[in-house]
Amino acid sequence: MTASPNATVDAGDSYSPQLRTALILSGVGAEGAYHAGVLRALQEAGVKIDVVAGRGIGAVGALFAAIDGAPSLWNDRGFWRSDGVRSLYDWRPAVRLAGAAALVSIAIVAIPLLAMAVGAVVFPIDFVARMIGIGGAGGLVGAYVALAQEAFGPAGFPTWLPRLVVIVLGAAAGAMLVGGLVGATGRRRRGAIWWRALPAPISQAPLVAHSWRVLWDLLRGAAALAQPGAEELAQRYAELLADNLGQPGFRELLIVAHDLDAHRDVVFALVAESRRRDLIRRPSSAAAEARRAEVLDLAGAARVHLADAIAASLSVPVATDPHPLTFAPEAYWRGETHRVCDRPGALARLVDELVALGVDQAILVSAAPELTGPHALAAGRLDPRGRLGEYLQSAESAALRDAARAASPSLRLFTIRPAHNPIGPFDFGGGYDERSDRRQPLGESINRGYEDAYHQFIEPVVGASGEQVGQGASG
């Protein structure tokens, strides 16, 4: 267990179930499996949680935990154990097509080289055949030379190879251009037509759809009902949570994403009625206006934006297209459409918002490992998604460290994170553990989160707090 530098863990400043407690889930992509393991451990231990908050994939974990639906994340047919997980954050079809076209073009260009390589094999074989007295007058060499003359003649390779390469690459470029223009929605795009048509390499749409599909399975129970659209389902969820806040298993919800156009973070909050006034809590009118530009109250008319909150949280900067969020005409932004996405540094903003909402202690969960010291480096990833994942994990670690240092002295901050975790943000099929020289399935990340929660928080913190309570009572 680690704590914020502003909060020391001792007998007078330890975990207490009587205090208002928040659970913060932070990470990207496959790191949500680690969150699921932690949630399972906290639920089994009966840890009281009043507010669940998330950024990135943590928004999905918070969505389920807020209505006591976290088991849908880790059970046998749940979110992180279903077969469709492997295809999440996959390459867009246009990118796959471009890659396939490039490989085909390379293979076509390599045909003459392959023909020359065949000659290097034919000549020795023909020589051996002649030495032992087999083979005709021309032998293999004669047949090869005749075939080579025809292949490299004016009507052979020099004519149709370049044409074939142009056809393959042209078809791939045309498909990408059409796909990009058809898929371009929301805001206008500036730049040349090829830049406007070029989509982001990865799509968050499968992960967004998977999140709402699993949530609908939870909400509908055994009823055979058709799944509504994301916006309608989000409104039903917001109404369910707003009507049941204060009941066992229901918790306040807080999600933070980043508005690229307004250059500020957006806070999506669904809190108890007594706390709603704290969302707009600045005394001056100018500060109140700034809050209106940043805060969306999901318990009110802005509940329609819960679907936007999830889609924005799952939009990875640069790797995916940002999510277009259209504000209501009567809202601060007067019906504008802004581009919103995740931001690792928004973790500090999440912590600040929780403090302002009266949270006394918070459990911060992150799947980004911390470099313990020298001689702990691992080999760098070469695949594009692996490289991007390494950057995101590094940014996550830095954001976690900054958030802990900047946390209010009044906040007791407890952190759960792996000492070593080979699962990267895009390793939905599992990761490779260099220390044990083996593959680790995604399910093992769930188990690690479960074990870390017990070893870093439940046993040393919650257990120690219980012993201190017992000692106080006996005294």
Side-chain angles (χ1 to χ4, degrees):
M1 188 280 302
T2 59
S4 163
N6 301 295
T8 58
V9 181
D10 53 33
D13 190 23
S14 58
Y15 170 83
S16 172
Q18 281 75 38
L19 297 177
R20 182 168 162 81
T21 307
L23 174 67
I24 307 172
L25 304 175
S26 180
V28 176
E31 294 174 333
Y34 185 83
H35 298 163
V38 173
L39 283 167
R40 181 177 184 179
L42 296 179
Q43 178 171 305
E44 287 185 3
V47 176
K48 181 185 73 70
I49 298 173
D50 302 291
V51 187
V52 285
R55 59 144 291 267
I57 192 64
V60 175
L63 192 73
F64 283 85
I67 59 172
D68 202 23
S72 295
L73 297 173
W74 69 71
N75 59 33
D76 292 340
R77 295 184 179 181
F79 190 102
W80 292 108
R81 296 190 188 273
S82 61
D83 295 335
V85 169
R86 287 179 173 270
S87 61
L88 301 181
Y89 276 144
D90 208 352
W91 298 112
R92 288 182 182 271
V95 176
R96 287 181 172 274
L97 179 61
L103 291 177
V104 170
S105 300
I106 292 174
I108 293 173
V109 173
I111 290 178
L113 299 178
L114 180 62
M116 296 174 64
V118 171
V121 177
V122 167
F123 278 90
I125 294 177
D126 182 78
F127 175 77
V128 173
R130 289 175 178 275
M131 291 291 294
I132 60 178
I134 62 175
L140 290 176
V141 172
Y144 171 77
V145 170
L147 182 63
Q149 287 177 344
E150 183 177 354
F152 287 93
F157 291 158
T159 299
W160 58 266
L161 273 183
R163 295 177 182 177
L164 190 58
V165 171
V166 170
I167 291 174
V168 171
L169 294 180
M176 289 187 64
L177 186 65
V178 173
L181 291 176
V182 171
T185 58
R187 293 278 305 277
R188 290 185 303 167
R189 297 184 178 185
R190 292 180 296 174
I193 186 172
W194 48 83
W195 292 120
R196 284 183 281 146
L198 187 65
I202 297 174
S203 173
Q204 72 273 30
L207 181 53
V208 174
H210 182 64
S211 302
W212 292 116
R213 182 167 55 251
V214 177
L215 181 66
W216 175 242
D217 290 340
L218 171 66
L219 295 180
R220 70 181 175 89
L225 300 175
Q227 179 181 336
E231 292 186 1
E232 181 182 347
L233 181 53
Q235 291 187 57
R236 291 188 187 183
Y237 174 95
E239 292 171 359
L240 172 68
L241 182 56
D243 293 340
N244 290 276
L245 278 179
Q247 300 298 321
F250 290 87
R251 306 171 176 100
E252 298 173 25
L253 177 67
L254 194 70
I255 298 173
V256 172
H258 185 67
D259 188 335
L260 291 173
D261 295 300
H263 302 172
R264 62 178 76 199
D265 293 326
V266 183
V267 179
F268 304 85
L270 202 163
V271 298
E273 186 66 30
S274 60
R275 299 281 179 180
R276 290 179 66 184
R277 62 179 179 272
D278 295 336
L279 292 176
I280 308 296
R281 55 185 175 273
R282 301 295 188 266
S284 67
S285 59
E289 282 295 296
R291 293 293 293 172
R292 288 185 58 221
E294 298 176 343
V295 178
L296 295 175
D297 182 9
L298 299 179
R303 66 182 55 181
V304 297
H305 291 304
L306 178 58
D308 295 311
I310 299 301
S313 298
L314 300 181
S315 300
V316 181
V318 181
T320 70
D321 285 325
H323 173 72
L325 188 159
T326 302
F327 294 93
E330 65 274 9
Y332 177 87
W333 293 108
R334 301 289 187 256
E336 293 182 357
T337 297
H338 289 197
R339 298 166 300 160
V340 287
C341 64
D342 179 40
R343 182 176 76 90
L347 179 60
R349 175 63 181 275
L350 201 59
V351 173
D352 290 342
E353 292 292 335
L354 290 171
V355 172
L357 288 173
V359 169
D360 302 302
Q361 57 189 11
I363 307 164
L364 176 53
V365 182
S366 173
E370 183 176 13
L371 189 63
T372 55
H375 308 297
L377 297 177
R381 299 281 293 271
L382 296 179
D383 57 297
R385 295 205 303 174
R387 290 183 179 184
L388 178 60
E390 286 183 334
Y391 166 76
L392 292 173
Q393 277 196 332
S394 177
E396 168 78 8
S397 295
L400 193 151
R401 190 179 304 111
D402 293 342
R405 290 173 178 172
S408 170
S410 64
L411 179 68
R412 305 178 186 183
L413 185 62
F414 307 96
T415 306
I416 301 173
R417 63 189 302 190
H420 171 67
N421 190 353
I423 301 295
F426 301 108
D427 293 333
F428 290 95
Y432 176 73
D433 185 358
E434 293 185 345
R435 297 188 179 186
S436 57
D437 192 23
R438 65 186 180 91
R439 295 285 303 178
Q440 283 194 8
L442 187 61
E444 190 163 332
S445 186
I446 300 178
N447 298 334
R448 288 220 174 177
Y450 180 86
E451 295 169 0
D452 289 345
Y454 267 99
H455 297 159
Q456 299 178 22
F457 178 70
I458 295 172
E459 292 173 354
V461 179
V462 178
S465 299
E467 294 174 1
Q468 294 163 7
V469 170
Q471 293 173 1
S474 63

